[in-house]
Amino acid sequence: MTIHWCGTGLSAIPGLRRLIEAGHPVTVWNRTIAKAEEAVGDLTKDIRTFDINALESDLKAEDIVVSMLPGDWHVPLAELAIKTGAHFVSSSYIAPEMRDLDSKARAAGVRVINEVGLDPGIDHLMAHALVADYKASPAYDADNAISFTSYCGGVPKIANAFRYKFSWAPVGVLKALRSPSRSIRHFSELNVSKPWDAITRYDAPLATPESFEVYPNRDSIPFMEEYNFDPKWPIKDFVRGTLRLNGWSEAWKDIFAEAGTATDERLTEIADQLLKDNAYDEGEPDRVIMCVSFLAEKDGVPVWHKTYTMDAWGDARGTAMARLVSVPVSLAVEAVLNREVPVGVMAAPSDPKLITRWMDEVQILAQHVMVVDHL
């Protein structure tokens, strides 16, 4: 079995290096050879120019294709893996086109695992752990009202006036600001066309409690099924969202005013200027905060309430974001190698053994990981 790791961008390196250092056979594919050599050339010489046809000619049954390339490559590479009897891993959200490959993957005995990075990824593990904990608790009652929130954000460790910094061209961040979201608030579906219309305050129960600005992103509602929620549970709140430093909405108000209607060309101009004005300095630490909370109430009174928290920042090992995205990907690769995940298309596992093992690794990657019991 050869691991074909495609893409050596900023968030790919720690996990890739971990697999090579562990002695796994890894072929590195990147669009620019020099960048790949800079990232892992001290560990391996098996570095090739990424070309899907060249990859296909080299791919064998039971190999693993890892896509850390831009999102439009994930489905073609997953299709190629299924065609050749190889497996597939990516950190990205499962697109409908990826989900549609499930029956083909099952028929071929192929594992296609996605959403195994930071967010999505570690947040899924935390959610699965909390749901399982609640279901096994004496407080469990199918009639309890459930409130679930999952917030994650990458922010500068040393706050700047703009309340945000960029590691790469921020066009994607700006386009995401134009994406609608769907969540549940106070037992009702909440549809928001622009995130800045739904910014609220969140008090994070970190080692030192801290408040942030948060907003819902994407479509949260399908994740109730992903997290094994009972369809009979009354859902008061269910939100998966993004976390930002306090003052972010004020600092970004001019961006919001233009981003909603700007052309792609204008968005690129804005992004270029933002990167020029708000890029991370060499060696400057980033910070990643994640808080996943599950609350059960009976007649309006909390009967079970826990929050899984994580706080991490850049250090001598590099950026927190790179560690927390790519090392879980490498753990997923090893789970595929060990046949610890089922065939078909899936997201981060709900298996308690895998969750425990992966979260033990996250404890090392982050400076602070804790489950807070509020009762």
Side-chain angles (χ1 to χ4, degrees):
M1 289 187 193
T2 299
I3 300 162
H4 298 268
W5 187 289
C6 304
T8 59
L10 291 172
S11 291
I13 307 309
L16 172 57
R17 292 183 66 88
R18 179 180 174 274
L19 290 173
I20 298 171
E21 288 171 340
H24 296 295
V26 180
T27 298
V28 180
W29 301 81
N30 197 53
R31 288 175 290 185
T32 307
I33 287 283
K35 286 187 178 180
E37 288 177 338
E38 182 182 352
V40 294
D42 59 320
L43 297 178
T44 182
K45 301 306 175 191
D46 193 357
I47 299 172
R48 310 181 193 182
T49 303
F50 175 75
D51 175 86
I52 194 167
N53 295 317
L55 174 61
E56 181 174 6
S57 66
D58 204 51
L59 205 55
K60 298 178 180 61
E62 298 300 331
D63 283 357
I64 300 175
V65 177
V66 180
S67 180
M68 298 297 280
L69 295 168
D72 54 0
W73 277 108
H74 298 335
V75 170
L77 288 174
E79 289 175 328
L80 175 60
I82 294 168
K83 175 183 172 183
T84 57
H87 307 286
F88 177 83
V89 177
S90 95
S91 63
S92 298
Y93 279 103
I94 298 174
E97 298 82 4
M98 184 70 76
R99 183 75 68 189
D100 290 343
L101 298 177
D102 183 57
S103 58
K104 287 183 180 179
R106 289 173 183 270
V110 165
R111 293 162 175 82
V112 178
I113 183 167
N114 303 266
E115 302 187 9
V116 286
L118 166 64
D119 172 11
I122 295 173
D123 56 337
H124 291 349
L125 303 178
M126 291 178 171
H128 285 307
L130 290 175
V131 171
D133 190 3
Y134 167 65
K135 285 182 175 180
S137 76
Y140 177 79
D141 186 327
D143 293 329
N144 289 340
I146 303 301
S147 296
F148 175 91
T149 59
S150 178
Y151 294 118
C152 180
V155 300
K157 179 78 167 72
I158 304 164
N160 60 337
F162 194 57
R163 317 304 286 171
Y164 195 81
K165 285 200 169 186
F166 303 94
S167 301
W168 51 78
V171 172
V173 174
L174 297 181
K175 287 185 176 179
L177 288 175
R178 303 199 289 194
S179 299
S181 71
R182 190 167 73 117
S183 56
I184 295 177
R185 288 277 176 87
H186 304 297
F187 299 102
S188 299
E189 187 172 306
L190 175 66
N191 291 279
V192 178
S193 60
K194 302 292 188 298
W196 56 84
D197 293 332
I199 296 171
T200 57
R201 170 181 166 139
Y202 176 71
D203 294 318
L206 300 174
T208 301
E210 192 173 344
S211 64
F212 298 93
E213 294 181 3
V214 294
Y215 60 87
N217 62 21
R218 296 178 174 263
D219 186 351
S220 297
I221 292 175
F223 288 91
M224 288 189 286
E225 181 179 359
E226 176 69 30
Y227 296 158
N228 300 316
F229 275 39
D230 188 320
K232 301 190 190 83
W233 289 352
I235 306 299
K236 180 179 179 180
D237 296 297
F238 191 93
V239 183
R240 296 180 75 256
T242 299
L243 177 151
R244 294 287 182 251
L245 294 176
N246 275 337
W248 175 78
S249 55
E250 177 64 22
W252 279 60
K253 62 183 180 182
D254 292 340
I255 304 297
F256 299 155
E258 190 170 6
T261 57
T263 63
D264 285 350
E265 182 180 5
R266 175 58 185 150
L267 272 187
T268 301
E269 290 177 2
I270 296 171
D272 289 344
Q273 189 61 46
L274 288 177
L275 185 62
K276 181 180 177 182
D277 296 340
N278 300 283
Y280 277 99
D281 294 328
E282 184 71 29
E284 181 183 354
D286 65 330
R287 184 185 180 197
V288 174
I289 305 104
M290 179 178 286
C291 295
V292 179
S293 183
F294 189 104
L295 165 66
E297 295 175 290
K298 190 175 190 68
D299 300 324
V301 178
V303 293
W304 199 94
H305 188 194
K306 293 184 181 182
T307 302
Y308 220 136
T309 65
M310 180 181 73
D311 196 355
W313 50 88
D315 55 23
R317 297 172 291 178
T319 69
M321 184 68 71
R323 295 197 303 269
L324 294 166
V325 171
S326 65
V327 172
V329 171
S330 73
L331 296 172
V333 170
E334 290 177 333
V336 171
L337 285 171
N338 296 329
R339 301 179 182 275
E340 294 176 306
V341 294
V343 299
V345 176
M346 66 173 289
S350 59
D351 182 319
K353 291 180 182 177
L354 284 180
I355 290 174
T356 298
R357 190 193 312 157
W358 292 19
M359 288 307 299
D360 284 348
E361 189 72 30
V362 172
Q363 288 267 8
I364 299 169
L365 301 174
Q367 280 84 356
H368 169 84
V369 177
M370 186 176 181
V371 178
V372 178
D373 190 340
H374 299 275
L375 299 182

